[in-house]
Amino acid sequence: MDINRRRLFGGALAAGAAGLAVTSLGACVTETPAAPAVPGAALRAGAGANTTLGPIKTVEAGVLEVAYAEFGPASGQPVILLHGWPYDPYSYADVGPILAESGFRVLVPFLRGYGPTRFLSEQTPRNGQQSAIARDIVDFMDALRIDSAVFGGFDWGARTVDIIAALWPERVEAMVAVSGYLVTQQAAQQQPLPPAAELGWWYQYYFATERGRLGYARNRHDFNKLIWRNASPAWDFDEATYQRSGAAFENPDHVDIVISNYRWRLSLAPGEPRYDDYEQRLATGPTIAVPAITISSDFDGAAKDGKAYRGKFTGKYEHRVLDGIGHNVPQEAPRPFAQAIVDAGRM
């Protein structure tokens, strides 16, 4: 999960209390209040309609055998959708069919360390740094002979979309990124924040310890469910929904990739020299010129208006706010997310 150095979590939803009205005779009558509106209820239409990704395909790409779901006709305009941590392609189980009905070819890969995706060699470092994940997706495109695509992502997926758009803009026709510009600059990550903001980083500091690595390895099921609830407090997902994604965390490299990702961000773990050039370019905070729609939700807190990263997008651009929705935007609000993909492709 990405907090992008800002406080994420809002307050819990308050329950309404029944009011008392006094009649003209002085009798005390209990009124039945109207049911409070569920934040974001209208935006959640269609969520949970699909409980399968269909047959999972695989392709050798770069250092990986990438597992992926595919929706829609092979001749359709390619759309690549990327998940984050602790999520998986089921975040797009409803978005994929919506876009497929409109004729898009939708590809949703399992990132390194998730689900059936596997490293081709035992000798390849289990490295979770940002540019390694982005390179994986470019290699995935090459393996499938996809020159360019419309991209969408949230969390690690949004960061990966940002990086591909910045470093390989010719591969990105347009993009949708939840929480906007998430490119990690390690030097900036060293600067302390006010205590209230640092509190939201608790899991990253936990992962910096060997106790955290062991705890995550032992308790990843309950750990990740806690992250889901904290990041999306108004999303009433059921156990079956969580279990479908939870299976992806049993990948043999999952713990190593997650720990590497968060330690690398804090300069507590090395990257690979093969990615140094990419990271040097990303350290400058490059702008993104491809057509882009950014989406914010309640997860983004005070940064919901998108002003903090507006200057990073120099091409055609639009920002959308989904009030009442948490961090897992495509799974919580599949229709608005799918519409953003369609609209971005037309910009």
Side-chain angles (χ1 to χ4, degrees):
M1 183 178 65
D2 285 304
I3 61 177
N4 199 31
R5 299 187 66 78
R6 58 180 177 262
R7 184 174 178 81
L8 317 180
F9 307 131
L13 297 176
L20 295 178
V22 180
T23 69
S24 59
L25 297 177
C28 191
V29 179
T30 301
E31 293 182 343
T32 302
V38 177
L43 297 173
R44 289 191 175 87
N50 296 283
T51 59
T52 179
L53 295 173
I56 299 301
K57 302 179 179 181
T58 61
V59 64
E60 289 191 9
V63 300
L64 300 173
E65 180 179 68
V66 178
Y68 64 101
E70 183 168 357
F71 306 88
S75 60
Q77 181 182 16
V79 171
I80 297 176
L81 304 176
L82 303 175
H83 68 85
W85 174 85
Y87 306 95
D88 84 322
Y90 272 102
S91 290
Y92 298 102
D94 296 316
V95 172
I98 293 171
L99 293 174
E101 289 178 2
S102 296
F104 292 95
R105 180 191 183 191
V106 183
L107 304 155
V108 193
F110 289 84
L111 300 184
R112 57 169 61 191
Y114 292 81
T117 290
R118 294 290 186 272
F119 285 89
L120 296 175
S121 171
E122 289 297 325
Q123 281 66 55
T124 303
R126 272 39 178 180
N127 171 14
Q129 76 182 102
Q130 60 180 0
S131 59
I133 297 171
R135 181 71 242 187
D136 289 345
I137 302 305
V138 174
D139 290 340
F140 173 70
M141 296 176 73
D142 289 343
L144 294 178
R145 298 191 174 119
I146 296 172
D147 292 329
S148 63
V150 178
F151 277 84
F154 74 106
D155 198 83
W156 290 17
R159 173 176 290 108
T160 304
V161 171
D162 288 338
I163 291 170
I164 296 172
L167 299 184
W168 296 278
E170 71 280 2
R171 310 304 293 267
V172 183
E173 294 183 23
M175 59 173 280
V176 174
V178 173
S179 299
Y181 189 87
L182 296 176
V183 175
T184 295
Q185 296 168 273
Q186 286 181 310
Q189 297 287 307
Q190 301 306 306
Q191 298 303 311
L193 297 172
E198 296 284 20
L199 181 63
W201 285 60
W202 70 271
Y203 62 92
Q204 297 197 29
Y205 299 133
Y206 183 63
F207 288 161
T209 69
E210 286 308 301
R211 173 174 170 156
R213 173 192 284 275
L214 181 61
Y216 187 60
R218 288 182 180 177
N219 305 310
R220 74 190 82 168
H221 179 278
D222 291 343
F223 193 105
N224 290 344
K225 186 188 288 187
L226 174 65
I227 296 295
W228 277 35
R229 294 200 185 282
N230 284 346
S232 301
W235 180 31
D236 188 23
F237 61 88
D238 59 19
E239 183 65 17
T241 297
Y242 179 72
Q243 290 288 1
R244 283 190 287 274
S245 290
F249 313 142
E250 298 305 316
N251 180 295
D253 301 308
H254 178 75
V255 173
D256 286 343
I257 294 299
V258 172
I259 297 300
S260 169
N261 181 283
Y262 288 109
R263 289 186 182 182
W264 177 85
R265 293 193 208 183
L266 296 175
S267 300
L268 299 175
E272 288 181 75
R274 64 184 295 185
Y275 302 113
D276 284 352
D277 178 64
Y278 300 147
E279 295 299 346
Q280 289 167 8
R281 292 160 65 188
L282 294 172
T284 67
T287 57
I288 293 171
V290 305
I293 293 176
T294 57
I295 297 175
S296 65
S297 68
D298 288 354
F299 175 88
D300 295 289
K304 187 187 293 189
D305 61 12
K307 292 179 180 178
Y309 47 75
R310 174 63 184 91
K312 290 296 186 181
F313 296 92
T314 60
K316 295 179 180 179
Y317 177 78
E318 183 181 339
H319 181 68
R320 300 180 180 182
V321 178
L322 301 183
D323 286 317
I325 298 300
H327 189 40
N328 187 358
V329 169
Q331 196 161 4
E332 296 180 60
R335 290 180 183 170
F337 188 90
Q339 189 61 56
I341 292 289
V342 173
D343 294 343
R346 293 172 176 168
M347 292 175 77

